Amino acid sequence: MTSPASPGPHPSPAPGHSAPSGPLTEPSAASRPKSAHAGGRYGLRHVARMEWIKLRTLRSTLWALLLTAVAMVGIGVITMANTRPPSPDRAAAFDPTNNVMAGVAVGQLVIGVIGVLLVTGEYASGSIRSTLATVPRRPMALAAKAGVFGLLALAVGEAVALVTFFAGRAALHPAVPHPALDQPGVLRAVLLSGAYLALVGLMGVGLGSVTRQAPSAIGALVAVVFVLPAILSGLTGVRFAKYFPTMIAGNSLAVAKPMPDMLSPWTGFGVLCLYAALILVAGGALLVRRDA
């Protein structure tokens, strides 16, 4: 049996180095990784960057946005090419700006479905668990996703609306009064039509978060945008249907001349903003309460 070795003298520090003394200190802010927020969490800017990387690497999203642009421009050009001079009794109410934005009806469906799939696709693949593990603050995760997609949809919507306007105007028959952006209400109608696509996209993101399943979310989107206003319009006229997105888009936003019995352009735009906000808040609240 051997006796324990007696402790020897502590090794002296190497020349030029001093031994650490006292408690360990936190690394300075400058030495921390710039991409990470304190506590291992991420800020909204970093989360938004993650969402942008995910969004721009999805080829299906890019193709769908391209399809939206082609459909809107094509429908606008065809509609304007078939527009004929109005009769004298209808000349005062004639609004070719409303005709050129006819493709919004198709664009809204594509943009809305993309918004739905951005959320439900993560649930279907199981990647939502990785997302929420990386970003434990769930409202921030949804806000980043909605913000990134909303801004992209807004940029695409405005660009396509302007291209559609000029392309459709060029296809208009020479005998038909040509709309111009400096005429009263025309620029507003074009820009609000582009913004409408972004709002529908945000509604899609919110519905995807509420239902977490693509079929039910897309079904709800189609019902709100197309089915319910058509049914209500047939039963009660525009009394209730004028508060639904499609009716607001076609009769309030995309018009240079106000239409009777419909919401004014800015009132309709405010109603749509309220819809998008309420659906996103509902989706965020459910995202916090439910398991991934």
Side-chain angles (χ1 to χ4, degrees):
M1 182 175 180
T2 60
S3 60
S6 60
H10 292 289
S12 58
H17 294 274
S18 59
S21 61
L24 295 177
T25 58
E26 292 288 338
S28 63
S31 64
R32 293 171 187 160
K34 294 183 179 179
S35 61
H37 189 270
R41 296 183 178 182
Y42 294 90
L44 180 61
R45 183 167 60 89
H46 304 103
V47 180
R49 183 181 301 174
M50 298 176 193
E51 292 296 334
W52 169 243
I53 293 173
K54 287 192 289 186
L55 182 60
R56 67 182 174 84
T57 53
L58 289 174
R59 290 188 177 182
S60 57
T61 301
L62 300 179
W63 281 111
L65 292 175
L66 180 60
L67 173 64
T68 302
V70 172
M72 284 186 60
V73 175
I75 293 174
V77 169
I78 293 173
T79 303
M80 294 295 262
N82 289 281
T83 299
R84 292 293 176 262
S87 58
D89 58 325
R90 295 183 178 181
F94 179 66
D95 188 358
T97 305
N98 186 241
N99 292 355
V100 78
M101 290 298 151
V104 170
V106 175
Q108 65 178 348
L109 180 60
V110 179
I111 293 285
V113 170
I114 295 174
V116 167
L117 295 179
L118 285 180
V119 178
T120 59
E122 289 202 55
Y123 280 99
S125 65
S127 61
I128 188 67
R129 290 189 287 272
S130 300
T131 298
L132 298 182
T134 305
V135 187
R137 297 169 64 184
R138 297 185 176 193
M140 179 188 289
L142 181 62
K145 188 181 293 293
V148 169
F149 180 61
L151 288 176
L152 176 63
L154 178 62
V156 172
E158 297 295 3
V160 175
L162 287 169
V163 171
T164 301
F165 174 79
F166 287 110
R169 186 176 182 275
L172 199 56
H173 191 278
V176 179
H178 283 48
L181 292 180
D182 58 353
Q183 294 175 354
V186 174
L187 180 60
R188 181 206 63 219
V190 175
L191 295 182
L192 288 185
S193 297
Y196 172 71
L197 296 179
L199 291 174
V200 174
L202 292 178
M203 292 179 198
V205 172
L207 289 173
S209 184
V210 169
T211 68
R212 301 188 296 181
Q213 295 181 345
S216 55
I218 294 174
L221 179 70
V222 172
V224 172
V225 172
F226 292 107
V227 179
L228 287 178
I231 294 175
L232 290 174
S233 182
L235 295 176
T236 64
V238 299
R239 182 180 180 185
F240 300 107
K242 65 182 178 182
Y243 296 101
F244 283 78
T246 298
M247 297 293 284
I248 293 175
N251 301 288
S252 298
L253 303 188
V255 294
K257 298 180 180 179
M259 299 185 69
D261 300 327
M262 303 302 295
L263 300 179
S264 68
W266 292 112
T267 299
F269 184 70
V271 170
L272 291 172
C273 290
L274 180 62
Y275 288 164
L278 290 177
I279 296 173
L280 285 172
V281 168
L286 292 173
L287 184 64
V288 170
R289 292 186 178 186
R290 296 185 299 202
D291 294 333

